Amino acid sequence: MCGIVGAISERDVQGILLEGLRRLEYRGYDSAGMAVVDGGQAVQRAREVGKVAALVDAIEGNPLKGHLGIAHTRWATHGEPSRINAHPHMSGDRLAIVHNGIIENYQELRQELKTDGFAFTSQTDTEVVAHLIEKNYRELGDLYSAVKATIARLRGAYALAVVHADEPDHLVVCREGSPLVVGVGIGENFIASDQLALLPVTDRFMFLEEGDIADIRKDRIDIHDREGTPVERSTHRFEHGADSADKGEYRHFMLKEIHEQPRVIKATMEGRVTASRVLEQALGTDAENLLDHVRHVQIIACGTSYHAGLVARYWIEEVAGLPCSVEVASEFRYRKHVIQPDTLFLCISQSGETADTLAALRQAKQAGFRAALAICNVPGSSLVRESDLVIMTQAGPEIGVASTKAFTTQLTSLLIFTLALARHNGLSEEKESEIVQALHLVPGQVNDVLSLDGEIEELARGFMDKNHTLFLGRGSLYPVALEGALKLKEISYIHAEAYPAGELKHGPLALVDSEMPVVTVAPNNDLVEKLKSNLEEVRARGGELFVFADREAGVASEDSLHAMQLPPVHEITAPIVYTVPLQLLSYHVAVLKGTDVDQPRNLAKSVTVE
Ligand code: G6P
C-alpha cells in the first residue's frame, strides 16, 4: 500500500520526509521518491526503485534543499515498479503530487488531457491527476482552487498531496477513501498516511474526513468539507503504544489485538473500496487481466489462516460462482493433485514465513497454476516476495501467538478479493454495492460486540472447570466455529472440537452431557431454523448451551441455554463479526485458568520449520 509524507517548515524538510518514509516501510512498497520546493525557485525530485535506503543513497551527495516537500512509497497498481512510475509525479517542472489510491476514470481523463496537449511519461493513474491540476491551475490561477476543481472530476479512492513552485508557502491535500492525517507542529505542519510516520516531529494529529480538502501552511491549517464549508477537525494527541510492541492499557497483547480490530479492519479496506465498489486495481497491476482468466481458486494455509480460507470458499462459490478448494499446506505439499486449468493459487499467511505454506507455493509454481496470490500481514516476507499478486492485510504487528486481528483482516481482504473476482463473473453492481456497504458496517458492529466483553467474561466462568467443549456452526459460520475451538484449545488448553451443526447427530451427540458445554454461533441467516433444531438436540441430552445469536433470530436465554444477543449483520459479513465473541470467550477462559495467554505452551507465532 502506498504511503505519503509531506512537510512545510522553517527548516529543511528532506530529513523529516525520509524518516517518515522509513516509518511507512511496514505498509509494503516497491519504490520511493520525494519532491522538495526550493525557495520558490524550482521543484527538485528524486525517485528510486526498491527500498527507502536506495533513495537515501541516491540523494546522499546531492541533498534536496527546501522548506516544503512531499514524499511517497509506491505499491504498484497502474504500471510496473520503475523510476518513471514512482511518485512524486509532475506536470511541467513546477507542480508535483503524491497519491495513494486508485483513480478509476483515469483512462478517459488521460485521453482528454492528451487532446489538450499534455504529454505523459508514466503508465500511472496519478500522472493524470497531476496534469489535470496543472490544467485547472492555468485557468483558475491558484493551487487550492485547482485541486478542488480536479477532485470534482475524480472517481475512485485517493489521498493526494500537491505542491507548486509558484506557491512555495503551502501544500494542498485531500482525501476520499484513502487515509490521511495532518500532523500539527509549532511553526511547521505535516501530513502523512499514518501518524506513525510523523512521531519524530509531532504527537498532535488532525484526522481528515472523507471529502475534506486542506490548505497546509507553516502556521495555519484550513480545512473545507466536501460541500466547500470551512470545518474544524479536532486535534488529538497520539496514543502511545497504539501500534508498537507495547501492551498499552491492556493486560495482554491478545486482548489489545482483539480491541484493535475495528481500526485494522477499516485500515484493510482503505484504498480498496469506495462507498459502494471494490477497486480491483488495488489488488495489483495485473489484477484485472488475471481475474478475467481465473476459473478456479485453490487456497492453501495453516492454522488460523486456513480457517480464513475455509470461510472464503463459501464466499467465492456463492458470490463469484467459481469452484474453490481449500487445503492445509502440510497436506497439500505431500500429495499428488489434479490442477484445473486457470486455477489461481491463493496462499494465506499472517507471517508470510510459514514453512509448509511456502513449500506449497514453491511446488505450485512448478505445477502450472495460472498465478499465485498472497494474503499476508508482513511486507517483505518470503511469501510476499515470491507471489505474483499480494493483498497486504493492515493488521499491524500481531504479538499474541493466538491470531486474532490477523484473522479478521484476512477475512476482510478475502471478501474484497471475492468481490473483485465476482465482478468478472457476472456479479451485478447492485449486489456488489450491497456487500460493500455491509462491509463498511463491520468495524462498528465489531465495536458493538466488544462492548459485550463484561458479559462474555461472565459466561467464561462456565468453562473453567470443563475439560472439553464442542463448537457448532452452519454454512460459512462452521469455519468460525473451527476458529473458536482452535482459540480455546490454544490458550486455555481445554480440548475443543468444532462440528457443522448438521453433523451433530452423526457422532458427537454421544458426548453431550452436563460436562460438555456447547458453543454455537447463530446469525440470522436462512440456516437459523435448522440450527435451532440442532440446539434442541443438545438440550434434550442435558447439554449446556452458549449461543451467540442475532438479536432478531429469536434465541432467548432459559435454563441451560445462555444466549448472547449480537447486532444484526449481513449474512456475508457475519463470519467476521461472529469471530470476535469467540475470541473474547477464549481469552477470558484462559485468564480465569491462569494460563500464559500471549505465549501458550508448545506453540510458536511463526512456524518456519516443517
Ligand atoms: C502458527 C501460529 C498460528 C498461525 C499458524 C499459521 O501455528 O501459532 O497462530 O495461524 O502458524 O501462520 P501464518 O503466519 O502462516 O498465518
mmCIF file of all heavy atoms in Angstrom, residues 301-306 348-354 357 398 400-403 410 486-487 490 603-607, ligand 1:
data_model
loop_
_atom_site.group_PDB
_atom_site.id
_atom_site.type_symbol
_atom_site.label_atom_id
_atom_site.label_comp_id
_atom_site.label_asym_id
_atom_site.label_seq_id
_atom_site.Cartn_x
_atom_site.Cartn_y
_atom_site.Cartn_z
ATOM 1 N N ALA A 301 -3.184 -22.823 3.298
ATOM 2 C CA ALA A 301 -2.788 -22.078 4.503
ATOM 3 C C ALA A 301 -2.645 -23.045 5.671
ATOM 4 O O ALA A 301 -2.906 -24.243 5.517
ATOM 5 C CB ALA A 301 -3.840 -21.017 4.828
ATOM 6 N N CYS A 302 -2.243 -22.518 6.823
ATOM 7 C CA CYS A 302 -2.130 -23.331 8.034
ATOM 8 C C CYS A 302 -2.864 -22.619 9.181
ATOM 9 O O CYS A 302 -2.971 -21.392 9.192
ATOM 10 C CB CYS A 302 -0.675 -23.456 8.477
ATOM 11 S SG CYS A 302 0.390 -24.168 7.251
ATOM 12 N N GLY A 303 -3.288 -23.391 10.150
ATOM 13 C CA GLY A 303 -3.822 -22.840 11.402
ATOM 14 C C GLY A 303 -4.991 -21.898 11.180
ATOM 15 O O GLY A 303 -5.918 -22.183 10.408
ATOM 16 N N THR A 304 -4.926 -20.763 11.852
ATOM 17 C CA THR A 304 -5.997 -19.774 11.753
ATOM 18 C C THR A 304 -6.176 -19.295 10.309
ATOM 19 O O THR A 304 -7.302 -19.086 9.848
ATOM 20 C CB THR A 304 -5.643 -18.592 12.691
ATOM 21 O OG1 THR A 304 -5.778 -19.067 14.033
ATOM 22 C CG2 THR A 304 -6.538 -17.408 12.482
ATOM 23 N N SER A 305 -5.074 -19.142 9.601
ATOM 24 C CA SER A 305 -5.167 -18.676 8.206
ATOM 25 C C SER A 305 -5.950 -19.679 7.363
ATOM 26 O O SER A 305 -6.659 -19.300 6.428
ATOM 27 C CB SER A 305 -3.766 -18.486 7.622
ATOM 28 O OG SER A 305 -3.063 -17.523 8.368
ATOM 29 N N TYR A 306 -5.829 -20.966 7.699
ATOM 30 C CA TYR A 306 -6.583 -21.996 6.984
ATOM 31 C C TYR A 306 -8.085 -21.779 7.215
ATOM 32 O O TYR A 306 -8.898 -21.902 6.292
ATOM 33 C CB TYR A 306 -6.133 -23.371 7.483
ATOM 34 C CG TYR A 306 -7.009 -24.525 7.060
ATOM 35 C CD1 TYR A 306 -7.105 -24.898 5.721
ATOM 36 C CD2 TYR A 306 -7.742 -25.245 8.006
ATOM 37 C CE1 TYR A 306 -7.922 -25.954 5.340
ATOM 38 C CE2 TYR A 306 -8.546 -26.308 7.636
ATOM 39 C CZ TYR A 306 -8.637 -26.656 6.293
ATOM 40 O OH TYR A 306 -9.437 -27.699 5.915
ATOM 41 N N ILE A 348 -2.645 -17.936 2.168
ATOM 42 C CA ILE A 348 -2.986 -17.001 3.246
ATOM 43 C C ILE A 348 -2.020 -17.264 4.399
ATOM 44 O O ILE A 348 -1.877 -18.414 4.833
ATOM 45 C CB ILE A 348 -4.429 -17.227 3.744
ATOM 46 C CG1 ILE A 348 -5.417 -17.249 2.568
ATOM 47 C CG2 ILE A 348 -4.823 -16.148 4.744
ATOM 48 C CD1 ILE A 348 -6.811 -17.725 2.960
ATOM 49 N N SER A 349 -1.350 -16.201 4.849
ATOM 50 C CA SER A 349 -0.418 -16.375 5.957
ATOM 51 C C SER A 349 -0.193 -15.042 6.654
ATOM 52 O O SER A 349 0.119 -14.045 5.997
ATOM 53 C CB SER A 349 0.917 -16.910 5.423
ATOM 54 O OG SER A 349 1.877 -16.907 6.439
ATOM 55 N N GLN A 350 -0.380 -15.021 7.953
ATOM 56 C CA GLN A 350 -0.098 -13.799 8.705
ATOM 57 C C GLN A 350 1.363 -13.432 8.544
ATOM 58 O O GLN A 350 1.695 -12.323 8.164
ATOM 59 C CB GLN A 350 -0.446 -14.031 10.193
ATOM 60 C CG GLN A 350 -0.341 -12.809 11.096
ATOM 61 C CD GLN A 350 1.072 -12.439 11.501
ATOM 62 O OE1 GLN A 350 1.472 -11.274 11.374
ATOM 63 N NE2 GLN A 350 1.851 -13.383 11.959
ATOM 64 N N SER A 351 2.250 -14.383 8.807
ATOM 65 C CA SER A 351 3.693 -14.093 8.870
ATOM 66 C C SER A 351 4.350 -14.071 7.500
ATOM 67 O O SER A 351 5.348 -13.385 7.286
ATOM 68 C CB SER A 351 4.393 -15.163 9.700
ATOM 69 O OG SER A 351 4.228 -16.440 9.072
ATOM 70 N N GLY A 352 3.809 -14.846 6.566
ATOM 71 C CA GLY A 352 4.450 -14.971 5.255
ATOM 72 C C GLY A 352 5.708 -15.812 5.292
ATOM 73 O O GLY A 352 6.477 -15.853 4.336
ATOM 74 N N GLU A 353 5.950 -16.484 6.432
ATOM 75 C CA GLU A 353 7.162 -17.288 6.560
ATOM 76 C C GLU A 353 6.866 -18.725 6.962
ATOM 77 O O GLU A 353 7.795 -19.473 7.283
ATOM 78 C CB GLU A 353 8.122 -16.658 7.594
ATOM 79 C CG GLU A 353 8.579 -15.242 7.288
ATOM 80 C CD GLU A 353 9.447 -15.123 6.026
ATOM 81 O OE1 GLU A 353 9.873 -16.160 5.479
ATOM 82 O OE2 GLU A 353 9.666 -13.986 5.576
ATOM 83 N N THR A 354 5.611 -19.129 7.015
ATOM 84 C CA THR A 354 5.277 -20.486 7.441
ATOM 85 C C THR A 354 5.834 -21.495 6.438
ATOM 86 O O THR A 354 5.528 -21.440 5.240
ATOM 87 C CB THR A 354 3.748 -20.623 7.590
ATOM 88 O OG1 THR A 354 3.327 -19.634 8.526
ATOM 89 C CG2 THR A 354 3.349 -21.997 8.072
ATOM 90 N N THR A 357 3.479 -23.528 4.074
ATOM 91 C CA THR A 357 2.789 -22.683 3.090
ATOM 92 C C THR A 357 3.757 -22.279 1.982
ATOM 93 O O THR A 357 3.425 -22.315 0.788
ATOM 94 C CB THR A 357 2.191 -21.436 3.791
ATOM 95 O OG1 THR A 357 1.420 -21.883 4.901
ATOM 96 C CG2 THR A 357 1.326 -20.619 2.851
ATOM 97 N N GLU A 398 1.306 -8.359 14.990
ATOM 98 C CA GLU A 398 0.494 -9.189 15.892
ATOM 99 C C GLU A 398 1.469 -9.960 16.776
ATOM 100 O O GLU A 398 2.276 -10.745 16.278
ATOM 101 C CB GLU A 398 -0.395 -10.143 15.092
ATOM 102 C CG GLU A 398 -1.410 -10.867 15.964
ATOM 103 C CD GLU A 398 -2.299 -11.818 15.158
ATOM 104 O OE1 GLU A 398 -1.771 -12.794 14.596
ATOM 105 O OE2 GLU A 398 -3.512 -11.579 15.087
ATOM 106 N N GLY A 400 0.561 -11.516 20.081
ATOM 107 C CA GLY A 400 -0.034 -12.695 20.723
ATOM 108 C C GLY A 400 0.080 -13.888 19.785
ATOM 109 O O GLY A 400 -0.175 -13.761 18.588
ATOM 110 N N VAL A 401 0.471 -15.038 20.331
ATOM 111 C CA VAL A 401 0.630 -16.216 19.467
ATOM 112 C C VAL A 401 -0.724 -16.606 18.855
ATOM 113 O O VAL A 401 -0.805 -16.977 17.685
ATOM 114 C CB VAL A 401 1.259 -17.388 20.259
ATOM 115 C CG1 VAL A 401 1.109 -18.702 19.498
ATOM 116 C CG2 VAL A 401 2.741 -17.105 20.505
ATOM 117 N N ALA A 402 -1.783 -16.524 19.637
ATOM 118 C CA ALA A 402 -3.103 -16.849 19.098
ATOM 119 C C ALA A 402 -3.550 -15.704 18.185
ATOM 120 O O ALA A 402 -3.676 -14.560 18.610
ATOM 121 C CB ALA A 402 -4.088 -17.032 20.235
ATOM 122 N N SER A 403 -3.767 -16.026 16.936
ATOM 123 C CA SER A 403 -4.042 -14.988 15.943
ATOM 124 C C SER A 403 -5.468 -14.459 16.072
ATOM 125 O O SER A 403 -6.416 -15.241 16.162
ATOM 126 C CB SER A 403 -3.826 -15.604 14.562
ATOM 127 O OG SER A 403 -3.934 -14.627 13.582
ATOM 128 N N GLN A 410 -7.643 -10.820 7.425
ATOM 129 C CA GLN A 410 -7.567 -11.780 6.302
ATOM 130 C C GLN A 410 -8.958 -11.936 5.687
ATOM 131 O O GLN A 410 -9.123 -11.927 4.461
ATOM 132 C CB GLN A 410 -7.070 -13.147 6.783
ATOM 133 C CG GLN A 410 -5.581 -13.195 7.074
ATOM 134 C CD GLN A 410 -5.162 -14.448 7.826
ATOM 135 O OE1 GLN A 410 -5.993 -15.199 8.341
ATOM 136 N NE2 GLN A 410 -3.865 -14.692 7.891
ATOM 137 N N LEU A 486 -10.271 -23.647 17.960
ATOM 138 C CA LEU A 486 -8.806 -23.547 17.937
ATOM 139 C C LEU A 486 -8.318 -22.549 18.985
ATOM 140 O O LEU A 486 -7.370 -22.818 19.726
ATOM 141 C CB LEU A 486 -8.334 -23.134 16.530
ATOM 142 C CG LEU A 486 -6.834 -22.934 16.359
ATOM 143 C CD1 LEU A 486 -6.061 -24.238 16.579
ATOM 144 C CD2 LEU A 486 -6.507 -22.379 14.964
ATOM 145 N N LYS A 487 -8.988 -21.383 19.063
ATOM 146 C CA LYS A 487 -8.574 -20.359 20.038
ATOM 147 C C LYS A 487 -8.652 -20.935 21.450
ATOM 148 O O LYS A 487 -7.743 -20.748 22.249
ATOM 149 C CB LYS A 487 -9.475 -19.114 19.973
ATOM 150 C CG LYS A 487 -9.299 -18.158 18.846
ATOM 151 C CD LYS A 487 -8.036 -17.348 18.854
ATOM 152 C CE LYS A 487 -6.926 -18.083 18.187
ATOM 153 N NZ LYS A 487 -6.764 -17.989 16.772
ATOM 154 N N GLU A 490 -5.884 -23.498 22.042
ATOM 155 C CA GLU A 490 -4.547 -22.878 22.031
ATOM 156 C C GLU A 490 -4.209 -22.223 23.367
ATOM 157 O O GLU A 490 -3.103 -22.367 23.869
ATOM 158 C CB GLU A 490 -4.463 -21.789 20.946
ATOM 159 C CG GLU A 490 -4.187 -22.294 19.552
ATOM 160 C CD GLU A 490 -4.125 -21.163 18.528
ATOM 161 O OE1 GLU A 490 -4.939 -20.203 18.612
ATOM 162 O OE2 GLU A 490 -3.288 -21.234 17.627
ATOM 163 N N LEU A 603 3.606 -23.670 21.589
ATOM 164 C CA LEU A 603 3.239 -23.047 20.305
ATOM 165 C C LEU A 603 4.200 -21.920 19.946
ATOM 166 O O LEU A 603 4.802 -21.302 20.810
ATOM 167 C CB LEU A 603 1.817 -22.494 20.371
ATOM 168 C CG LEU A 603 0.711 -23.508 20.642
ATOM 169 C CD1 LEU A 603 -0.642 -22.810 20.684
ATOM 170 C CD2 LEU A 603 0.713 -24.613 19.584
ATOM 171 N N ALA A 604 4.310 -21.658 18.635
ATOM 172 C CA ALA A 604 5.141 -20.545 18.168
ATOM 173 C C ALA A 604 4.312 -19.666 17.260
ATOM 174 O O ALA A 604 3.387 -20.131 16.597
ATOM 175 C CB ALA A 604 6.334 -21.079 17.397
ATOM 176 N N LYS A 605 4.660 -18.404 17.239
ATOM 177 C CA LYS A 605 3.923 -17.456 16.403
ATOM 178 C C LYS A 605 4.148 -17.744 14.932
ATOM 179 O O LYS A 605 3.243 -17.692 14.125
ATOM 180 C CB LYS A 605 4.382 -16.031 16.741
ATOM 181 C CG LYS A 605 3.650 -14.935 15.985
ATOM 182 C CD LYS A 605 2.256 -14.784 16.517
ATOM 183 C CE LYS A 605 1.395 -13.866 15.677
ATOM 184 N NZ LYS A 605 -0.035 -14.189 15.844
ATOM 185 N N SER A 606 5.382 -18.001 14.602
ATOM 186 C CA SER A 606 5.688 -18.222 13.193
ATOM 187 C C SER A 606 6.435 -19.544 13.088
ATOM 188 O O SER A 606 7.488 -19.717 13.699
ATOM 189 C CB SER A 606 6.546 -17.053 12.699
ATOM 190 O OG SER A 606 6.821 -17.222 11.350
ATOM 191 N N VAL A 607 5.850 -20.486 12.343
ATOM 192 C CA VAL A 607 6.444 -21.820 12.292
ATOM 193 C C VAL A 607 7.233 -21.949 10.988
ATOM 194 O O VAL A 607 6.685 -22.262 9.938
ATOM 195 C CB VAL A 607 5.359 -22.908 12.416
ATOM 196 C CG1 VAL A 607 5.990 -24.285 12.445
ATOM 197 C CG2 VAL A 607 4.537 -22.688 13.681
HETATM 198 C C1 G6P B 1 1.255 -20.955 13.880
HETATM 199 C C2 G6P B 1 0.574 -19.895 14.728
HETATM 200 C C3 G6P B 1 -0.893 -19.746 14.315
HETATM 201 C C4 G6P B 1 -0.983 -19.471 12.822
HETATM 202 C C5 G6P B 1 -0.249 -20.540 12.005
HETATM 203 C C6 G6P B 1 -0.129 -20.120 10.555
HETATM 204 O O1 G6P B 1 0.733 -22.191 14.199
HETATM 205 O O2 G6P B 1 0.640 -20.231 16.076
HETATM 206 O O3 G6P B 1 -1.478 -18.664 15.014
HETATM 207 O O4 G6P B 1 -2.334 -19.420 12.444
HETATM 208 O O5 G6P B 1 1.073 -20.691 12.487
HETATM 209 O O6 G6P B 1 0.684 -18.993 10.498
HETATM 210 P P1 G6P B 1 0.691 -17.962 9.328
HETATM 211 O O7 G6P B 1 1.730 -16.945 9.719
HETATM 212 O O8 G6P B 1 1.090 -18.726 8.074
HETATM 213 O O9 G6P B 1 -0.680 -17.390 9.209
#
